[in-house]
């Protein structure tokens, strides 16, 4: 195994759960589907459930950005959105060989949806634990300290029991944590946000969230082009529909079609779309998926007509808790 990833939070901007009314409606839809599929008996429920996509049944998730990466010998965390609380819980149960730390948390930027879970990452409060924070922003330490501060949070930074270290990274310069190499590249976002190219055992993961994807050509991407090259999996911001991109210019988020264009050109094998809008329920994300499939098919068809070679891409919209091995 070279790289194993788990997506603990995939929502953008704000944690967001469907209302009880919407949840009731979703249960009703699933029950209707059960009977219309010809099932009748309680004993058939498991078979029916297994036949459905997780996101069709359970939606895309509530928690904001947090990705856990494991190599053979190392664990990294990218961003501390509300998803980090569930990761913290799994670590405290000692379920992985990385439970005792030290923990390495890479920050892309400091918008609320990427930091809101950090005060709930339990190792901060445990003596004998060590946490390393990494980020390109020179004010990294000040920004993290600011999260543990009254009246926003009852425990001040000075009272935390863990040993906490800060590492300011140089843009576009690789750093090594155990057997993983990480290089930050700039994304297209209103407050500077740094994507990460993560490499181990010959596999490459490209973390491209939050980004508007305004620089599309290789020339425009310039020094940040390596983020998108030779990658096995690209994790890409697809909060909006393609038409919404024009309405929401400079909001810092993109659409799946932009990600597919990059992936086709750079021959990226797998793409996961993320940063789902807080207002989007499962049906709306599935509608984005349908529009993306239409675009994907039309690109392949056009290439076939023009006798161009276009490598297929294995793409999907990610849901909370999704795991993948590269
Ligand atoms: Zn965000
Ligand atoms: Zn942001």
């Amino acid at each position: 195994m070279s790289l194993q990833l788990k997506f603990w939070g995939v929502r953008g901007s704000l944690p967001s759960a469907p209302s009880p009314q919407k949840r009731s409606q979703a249960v009703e839809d699933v029950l209707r589907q059960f009977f219309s599929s010809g099932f009748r008996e309680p004993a058939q429920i498991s078979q029916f459930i297994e036949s459905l996509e997780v996101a069709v049944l359970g939606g895309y998730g509530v928690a904001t950005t947090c990705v856990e990466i494991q190599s053979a010998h190392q664990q990294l965390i990218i961003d501390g959105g509300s998803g980090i609380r569930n990761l913290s819980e799994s670590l405290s149960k000692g379920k992985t060989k990385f439970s005792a730390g030290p923990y390495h948390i890479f920050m892309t930027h400091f918008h609320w949806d990427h930091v809101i879970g950090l005060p709930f990452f339990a190792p901060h409060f445990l003596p004998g634990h060590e946490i390393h924070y990494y980020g390109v922003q020179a004010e990294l330490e000040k920004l993290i300290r600011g999260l543990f501060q009254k009246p926003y949070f009852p425990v001040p930074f000075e009272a935390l029991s863990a040993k906490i270290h800060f590492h300011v990274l140089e843009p576009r310069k690789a750093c090594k944590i155990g057997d993983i190499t990480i290089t930050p590249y700039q994304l297209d976002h209103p407050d500077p946000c740094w994507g990460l190219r993560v490499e181990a055992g010959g596999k490459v993961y490209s973390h491209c969230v939050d980004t508007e994807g305004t620089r599309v050509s290789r020339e425009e991407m310039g020094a940040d082009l390596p983020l998108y090259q030779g990658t096995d999996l690209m994790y890409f911001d697809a909060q909006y529909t393609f038409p919404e991109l024009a309405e929401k210019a400079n909001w810092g988020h993109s659409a799946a079609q932009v990600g597919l264009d990059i992936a086709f050109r750079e021959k990226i094998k797998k793409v996961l779309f993320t940063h789902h809008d807080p207002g989007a329920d499962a049906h709306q994300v599935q509608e984005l998926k349908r529009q993306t499939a239409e675009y994907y098919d039309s690109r392949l068809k056009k290439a076939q007509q023009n006798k161009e070679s276009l490598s297929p891409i294995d793409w999907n919209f990610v849901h909370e808790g999704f795991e993948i091995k590269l």
Side-chain angles (χ1 to χ4, degrees), residues 109 111 113-114 189 193 210 253 275:
H109 66 316
H111 283 166
D113 51 325
H114 298 254
H189 206 54
C193 178
D210 300 0
H253 303 291
H275 211 271

Side-chain angles (χ1 to χ4, degrees), residues 40-54:
R40 294 289 176 269
E41 304 299 326
Q44 297 171 310
I45 290 175
S46 305
Q47 188 195 345
F48 168 69
I49 298 281
E50 279 162 23
S51 74
L52 298 176
E53 269 183 65
V54 174

Side-chain angles (χ1 to χ4, degrees), residues 120-259:
F120 303 91
F121 186 64
H124 284 115
F125 309 97
L126 304 173
H129 281 62
E130 222 173 290
I131 302 174
H132 294 263
Y133 278 100
Y134 304 81
V136 170
Q137 293 83 348
E139 61 279 30
L140 171 72
E141 178 168 352
K142 186 178 138 216
L143 291 166
I144 296 295
R145 281 176 171 268
L147 297 170
F148 298 86
Q149 178 172 270
K150 288 173 185 288
Y152 299 112
F153 192 72
V155 185
F157 186 86
E158 295 67 33
L160 299 178
S161 300
K163 265 194 163 172
I164 302 171
H165 311 271
F166 296 94
H167 309 268
V168 175
L169 303 173
E170 263 189 62
R172 303 171 193 91
K173 193 176 167 205
C175 75
K176 226 168 153 58
I177 311 291
D179 59 347
I180 307 185
T181 303
I182 305 104
T183 317
Y185 292 96
Q186 190 156 17
L187 297 168
D188 302 323
H189 206 54
D191 288 309
C193 178
W194 292 84
L196 297 161
R197 181 183 166 93
V198 181
E199 301 167 60
K203 296 290 179 189
V204 178
Y205 165 71
S206 294
H207 186 93
C208 310
V209 186
D210 300 0
T211 192
E212 192 161 338
T214 39
R215 293 173 299 158
V216 176
S217 71
R218 285 181 171 167
E219 292 69 30
E220 285 168 329
M221 286 175 169
D224 297 311
L225 181 61
L227 178 62
Y228 308 92
Q229 293 192 310
T231 183
D232 295 282
L233 171 65
M234 176 170 76
Y235 192 55
F236 195 81
D237 188 322
Q239 183 161 343
Y240 304 141
T241 64
F242 196 59
E244 269 176 333
L245 263 190
E247 289 162 32
K248 295 179 176 174
N250 302 318
W251 287 30
H253 303 291
S254 196
Q257 290 85 341
V258 176

Side-chain angles (χ1 to χ4, degrees), residues 22-35:
K22 277 204 168 171
R23 212 178 268 284
S24 304
Q25 183 61 50
V27 170
E28 192 180 319
D29 291 347
V30 169
L31 286 173
R32 282 185 198 287
Q33 213 175 323
F34 178 78
F35 289 108

